[in-house]
Amino acid sequence: AYPLLVVVPNVVKMNWAREVQRWTPQRRVTVIHGDGDDIDAFADVFVVNYDILDRHLSWISRFGFKGMVVDEAHMIKNVQSQRSRNVLAIAERIRERVPGGRPLLLALTGTPLINDIDDFRAIWRFLGWIEADKPGPELMAALEANGYTPADAAFYPAARQSVVDMGIVRRRKIDVAADLPSKRVVDLPVELDDDLGKGIREAERQLAEKLLLRFNTIKAGRLGRELSDDAIIRMVCMQELEESTASSGINVFTMVRQIGQAKAGLAADYAAQLARSVGKVVFFAKHVDVMDRAEAAFAERGLGTVSIRGDQTAAFRQEQIDAFNKDPEVSVAVCSLTAAGVGVNLQASSNVVLAELSWTDAEQTQAIDRVHRIGQAEPVTAWRIVAAQTIDAKIAELIDAKAGLAARALDGAEAKREDEEPVQLLALISVLKAALAK
């Protein structure tokens, strides 16, 4: 399979190089940065990140790679994206050049793909199992060998099993559990009694009034006679959500950001107490200003910190991770919920503080799993800071309800389609229903 190309997110480039050196010390590894001026052309393993793949597409396609690994393969699920097209083009060139057309191709992901079967389309094309919209020769032969046609009820379970048998290797959560310590998520309700808290409650009241006015307007019109109250509620909230993405006034997104800012000091204070009493702590926030406030609070308390953000180079990020895991003077890792949610190992801690809520349970779980992973020896606790008596509390409740969907998917069970509505929409519906109930 050598030379081998490994395509990864930027945040794990250096980690991949390390693991190659650790597990295959007889092989040379080179990491492709920027324009590739320092590439070792005689290496066995070439590690490149998705973001710069287009710069190197020409020579990579001609180089003669015999194998390819795509890490965090869910990142290519959009077949129309440039990232996906680059990966698929390289895989096709490798298939053409390798004798027999059967190179080593691996797609790795720990993120559940639960929305639609189309999420797998690009991955299956990468592996050579399908060609555009139809099965490839190998999959077609397996489907024909089942003895069923699509008109038979037994066709679909048999077809699914055929795909699994072609090369899907997975560990379900239940299988991994034996290798992991216990984990719990604890909500810490906080009261926002200052001016920021009052402003948030006022903003929530104004949002409720805006939704209520729209509801009453539709209810009084022609549509109000044709639609049920639930249908009108959904229509109003979907319209509000669409408008929220294009406006900067009072909406569910700006409110959540204000809540995060209001919670920043309280969350940092609790994380500092944990660091003093139990040791290293991982602090997650969604917005940069919340991270900045937390770092300033930790500095005032004399606590050493590292920062893991989206605008860092892979080498600097790895330095920050190493310092947290190895330097006893570093007490807190202040991490971006989106940028540090994958490819980061922070096992030196067993305590996570979630200063801001995510919009998805999967993103929250990925953050906690930076600590709760194989090799962790201590029970893990994630402390989720929730602003009581605000929309924050409802969002936390909705995220927990969504967790059941991910759990079913990870355990291989069928997921219910009605659970696919975004948390933002469900939060708006709860605001409007509460206003209507008054």
Side-chain angles (χ1 to χ4, degrees), residues 291-310:
M291 295 176 66
D292 290 342
R293 287 188 60 182
E295 287 183 355
F298 295 136
E300 287 177 8
R301 292 165 172 79
L303 294 172
T305 64
V306 296
S307 182
I308 301 175
R309 307 185 179 211

Side-chain angles (χ1 to χ4, degrees), residues 306-374:
V306 296
S307 182
I308 301 175
R309 307 185 179 211
D311 58 353
Q312 298 167 332
T313 65
F316 180 78
R317 178 185 298 243
Q318 193 59 53
E319 289 174 6
Q320 298 286 285
I321 294 168
D322 291 343
F324 179 75
N325 285 326
K326 298 175 182 178
D327 187 346
E329 298 301 315
V330 175
S331 299
V332 184
V334 180
C335 301
S336 163
L337 192 58
T338 50
V342 295
V344 177
N345 184 343
L346 301 170
Q347 286 175 298
S349 171
S350 59
N351 282 274
V352 176
V353 172
L354 299 168
E356 294 184 273
L357 301 182
S358 169
W359 287 116
T360 67
D361 174 71
E363 191 173 65
Q364 173 181 286
T365 300
Q366 286 277 32
I368 299 170
D369 284 352
R370 299 314 93 212
V371 169
H372 187 247
R373 51 201 299 115
I374 293 174

Side-chain angles (χ1 to χ4, degrees), residues 30 51 86 100 131 157 301 310 325 365 376 381 396:
T30 187
D51 310 296
N86 289 340
E131 300 171 355
R301 292 165 172 79
N325 285 326
T365 300
Q376 173 63 261
T381 304

